[in-house]
Amino acid sequence: MKFSVRTAAAVAALVVAGLTATACAPQTSDNSSSGKDEKTGTLRVWLFQEVDNAPKEKVVAAAVDTFKKTHKDTKVTIEYIPVETRAQRMKAAFNDPKSAPDVIEYGNTDTAGYVKDGGLADVTEDFNGWSESKDTDPTAEQSVTVDGKIYGAPLFVGVRALYYRTDILKNLGLDVPKTQDELAETARKIHKAEPGLYGLAVGGAYTYGAMPFIWSQGGELAGGKGGSYAATIDSAAAQKGIETYTALFGDDNCPAAKCAGMGGNDTVTAFAAGKAGMAIGGDFSHAAIEAGKVKGKYAVVPLPGLKAGEIAPAFAGGNNIGVVKSTSHRTLAVDLMKELASKKTQGELFDAMGFLPTFTDVRDDVAKKQPFVAPFVKTLASGAKFVPASPAWAQIDASLVLPTMFQEIVSGKKDVAAASKDAAKKMNDAFSSVG
């Protein structure tokens, strides 16, 4: 999945969400609908625990109060669960409906796996009949869709862009990069002038920072749908993108010995600590960077594409709200899902947590209030992308198939062709295993 980095008070508190630490989805379940639809009772809700959870709790409490005004005979209990234990908790819940919640927050890359395991209710008609859904960002809607059916409502989206040091570029007389070639050239010039800095902090374990380079070249991770996905990470276009990204590792920018093992958190932490001239970070990284040493000395632009004026496609991470298939309060659960994922709630979550709304009109409104959001909104508007909607993705992500590929290349163990072909085989084995 890709959870967003929760708002953090300090750099050390960075947590990548929306959106990198993907655990495997529950394996198998005979979970099925209860066949009941009680209109009163208690709804149980599982939401994710944030680094600083108090602001989220306040927003959720307000949404629940609004819900209860029109559902007077209904009680709502909220439990905040650790992201790291979600796989085990969801597996247990899907296999034991009596202990399962009615409504859950889940990472958008977990959607296909949870659907395969029978955990999520099909809410296609409910979502399409919801007046607010027409303003949902298409990529966000894709993250709740499996084989044409909708299994939840997007809650927030996370996307990455290019953070850069305004003071360093000014002092060195460098312009903000407008293409990926210029990005690499600028990174090397920074490192040459300031050997103690990474020019552009990159990570061999930073899957979602590498993907824009692959997508820019026209490469894809895989093709197909449902149970028929096949890896395309070893295609000529994908290999060109892999080569572009891995070429950024070296003594002239980000030494492989230090950077091969770095993940997204590490690259953003390096930038926030004043150890990098540039970094690829999310809208969700803003609070942590503001708490670092570079406050007031940086700016953000969309990650450039191959040509001037182009924006590199970014991965759209984030979380969703779904209804558990076994609920005996389906109508109530759907109504609560809509309230928790509503325009009002998403706007308040942005104000409280910095979570980027999934509704295009709400996102435009928050961009006007908070200028730092603008590059991320522009990136989303230019066409963000998503991972294959296959239950195999959780397995692929958790087994570090792509980070292993990048690290084999930057360490010199394998060339791009060999490493990408090995990665494709591992991906295809995973796709085959889920049928």
Side-chain angles (χ1 to χ4, degrees):
M1 124 184 146
K2 192 67 195 108
F3 292 100
S4 100
V5 174
R6 274 62 177 187
T7 302
V11 174
L14 275 170
V15 178
V16 171
L19 285 251
T20 321
T22 300
C24 293
Q27 296 304 308
T28 57
S29 171
D30 58 1
N31 183 32
S32 60
S33 173
S34 69
K36 299 179 180 179
D37 191 11
E38 300 170 4
K39 301 302 193 293
T40 61
T42 299
L43 289 179
R44 297 180 59 213
V45 182
W46 286 359
L47 302 177
F48 290 134
Q49 178 84 32
E50 309 297 338
V51 173
D52 178 6
N53 209 52
K56 182 175 182 178
E57 290 179 19
K58 185 176 180 180
V59 173
V60 169
V64 169
D65 285 344
T66 299
F67 169 81
K68 290 170 69 175
K69 287 177 182 177
T70 54
H71 301 80
K72 298 186 183 299
D73 295 323
T74 303
K75 294 182 180 179
V76 178
T77 62
I78 308 289
E79 181 179 354
Y80 291 91
I81 67 172
V83 174
E84 295 79 10
T85 63
R86 75 187 189 285
Q88 296 90 333
R89 293 290 298 270
M90 295 301 180
K91 180 178 181 179
F94 294 166
N95 284 315
D96 181 14
K98 290 183 180 180
S99 67
D102 301 279
V103 178
I104 60 171
E105 178 180 358
Y106 65 94
N108 62 12
T109 58
D110 287 333
T111 305
Y114 288 179
V115 170
K116 179 179 183 293
D117 294 320
L120 294 174
D122 177 352
V123 295
T124 306
E125 292 185 9
D126 308 279
F127 184 85
N128 289 335
W130 181 26
S131 62
E132 295 190 354
S133 69
K134 66 181 183 350
D135 295 317
T136 302
D137 177 88
T139 305
E141 184 171 337
Q142 182 187 351
S143 79
V144 293
T145 304
V146 178
D147 292 339
K149 295 181 179 180
I150 297 174
Y151 293 90
L155 179 63
F156 66 85
V157 65
V159 70
R160 292 165 178 80
L162 180 68
Y163 284 78
Y164 68 94
R165 288 281 297 274
T166 52
D167 56 337
I168 290 176
L169 263 62
K170 181 180 179 180
N171 292 341
L172 298 180
L174 299 174
D175 294 327
V176 179
K178 294 182 175 61
T179 67
Q180 288 179 14
D181 284 345
E182 290 182 9
L183 178 66
E185 183 180 359
T186 301
R188 295 183 179 106
K189 286 180 178 179
I190 291 172
H191 184 68
K192 183 176 181 179
E194 300 282 352
L197 299 179
Y198 303 127
L200 170 67
V202 289
Y206 193 6
T207 300
Y208 297 103
M211 284 181 180
F213 295 88
I214 296 171
W215 287 326
S216 290
Q217 296 287 348
E220 296 288 348
L221 304 177
K225 65 179 182 178
S228 62
Y229 274 101
T232 56
I233 193 66
D234 58 342
S235 69
Q239 287 183 4
K240 180 63 176 175
I242 295 167
E243 182 180 354
T244 301
Y245 183 69
T246 54
L248 294 167
F249 293 79
D251 292 340
D252 57 354
N253 174 49
C254 202
K258 294 182 178 179
C259 301
M262 286 168 51
N265 274 0
D266 300 313
T267 62
V268 172
T269 298
F271 182 83
K275 297 179 181 179
M278 298 181 290
I280 300 168
D283 56 279
F284 41 80
S285 306
H286 179 258
I289 290 174
E290 278 288 288
K293 294 182 178 180
V294 299
K295 179 180 175 66
K297 296 184 290 186
Y298 73 92
V300 187
V301 293
L303 184 68
L306 301 184
K307 300 178 182 178
E310 289 183 350
I311 295 174
F315 167 70
N319 288 1
N320 304 324
I321 297 288
V323 172
V324 176
K325 190 174 182 179
S326 63
T327 181
S328 59
H329 301 86
R330 190 187 187 286
T331 298
L332 291 173
V334 168
D335 287 350
L336 183 56
M337 174 193 78
K338 293 177 181 177
E339 191 62 50
L340 290 172
S342 68
K343 291 184 177 183
K344 181 176 183 293
T345 302
Q346 289 196 21
E348 292 175 352
L349 278 173
F350 173 81
D351 291 338
M353 307 292 295
F355 291 169
L356 201 57
T358 64
F359 297 105
T360 54
D361 54 341
V362 180
R363 202 156 60 213
D364 289 343
D365 288 342
V366 301
K368 293 174 184 176
K369 292 192 296 183
Q370 296 286 356
F372 83 85
V373 174
F376 304 101
V377 172
K378 191 173 182 180
T379 298
L380 285 166
S382 72
K385 297 177 76 75
F386 196 57
V387 298
S390 167
W393 180 255
Q395 178 183 336
I396 292 167
D397 205 11
S399 56
L400 305 178
V401 172
L402 296 182
T404 297
M405 175 187 71
F406 296 131
Q407 290 165 350
E408 287 174 341
I409 295 167
V410 302
S411 68
K413 292 182 179 178
K414 295 178 183 177
D415 61 19
V416 171
S420 63
K421 288 185 183 302
D422 287 349
K425 182 182 183 304
K426 293 175 184 176
M427 291 175 69
N428 285 330
D429 287 346
F431 288 135
S432 298
S433 72
V434 300

